[in-house]
């Protein structure tokens, strides 16, 4: 049986999926979908459990992958805004579907977890 390319370590599809499917990128993309343009501080407030360092790293990664646009303004004090690119907007229906799936299955999953941890 041949191994599908998507599970090979150096497969570009696997690399892209692993970057998008980490904890923070999905939350940042979802947050920006609710507020089309946001400053760093506003993003940080909207996702309170992310550290400033992790937010910075994740924003850079999303920018490298062409999923968000970073717009810096030459003002005093400096102003930087983040927004979604067309590529990010194209993935939003999939993220929304995943969120809806999680909502639809949340209680059953929590019940299964509780049953598993309740067994001696």
């Amino acid at each position: 049986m041949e191994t599908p390319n998507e599970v090979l370590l150096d497969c570009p599809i696997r690399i892209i999926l692993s970057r998008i499917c980490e904890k923070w990128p999905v939350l940042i993309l979802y947050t920006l979908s609710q507020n089309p343009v946001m400053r760093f501080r506003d993003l940080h407030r909207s996702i309170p459990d992310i550290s400033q360092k992790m937010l910075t790293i994740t924003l850079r990664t999303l920018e490298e992958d062409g999923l968000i646009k970073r717009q810096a303004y030459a003002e005093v004090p400096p102003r930087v805004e983040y927004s979604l690119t067309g590529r990010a907007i194209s993935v939003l229906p999939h993220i929304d579907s995943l969120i809806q799936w999680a909502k639809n299955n949340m209680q059953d999953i929590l019940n299964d977890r509780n049953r598993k941890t309740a067994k001696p």
Side-chain angles (χ1 to χ4, degrees):
M1 178 179 203
E2 188 175 327
T3 304
N5 287 342
E6 292 81 5
V7 297
L8 297 176
L9 187 58
D10 60 347
C11 175
I13 293 170
R14 178 180 173 177
I15 294 166
I16 291 167
L17 289 176
S18 70
R19 283 175 73 144
I20 292 173
C21 295
E22 290 176 348
K23 180 178 183 178
W24 301 118
V26 171
L27 290 172
I28 291 170
L29 293 174
Y30 178 77
T31 301
L32 282 170
S33 76
Q34 305 302 301
N35 305 284
V37 176
M38 294 183 79
R39 296 177 75 174
F40 183 92
R41 183 175 29 195
D42 298 326
L43 270 167
H44 193 244
R45 281 190 206 135
S46 297
I47 309 170
D49 53 333
I50 190 171
S51 68
Q52 286 187 0
K53 179 180 179 180
M54 187 52 66
L55 180 57
T56 299
I57 290 168
T58 307
L59 288 169
R60 285 183 186 151
T61 300
L62 290 170
E63 185 181 11
E64 285 173 11
D65 290 345
L67 293 167
I68 62 166
K69 178 183 173 190
R70 180 184 185 273
Q71 180 68 50
Y73 297 91
E75 300 174 351
V76 177
R79 177 171 53 113
V80 178
E81 296 177 338
Y82 297 91
S83 60
L84 298 176
T85 64
R87 183 174 300 143
I89 291 168
S90 73
V91 79
L92 288 177
H94 306 286
I95 292 173
D96 290 339
S97 293
L98 186 57
I99 290 169
Q100 189 58 50
W101 177 88
K103 286 179 180 179
N104 292 343
N105 290 279
M106 178 180 58
Q107 194 56 56
D108 289 337
I109 291 170
L110 293 174
N111 291 340
D112 289 341
R113 285 182 185 174
N114 288 336
R115 274 196 297 276
K116 183 72 174 173
T117 56
K119 290 184 179 182

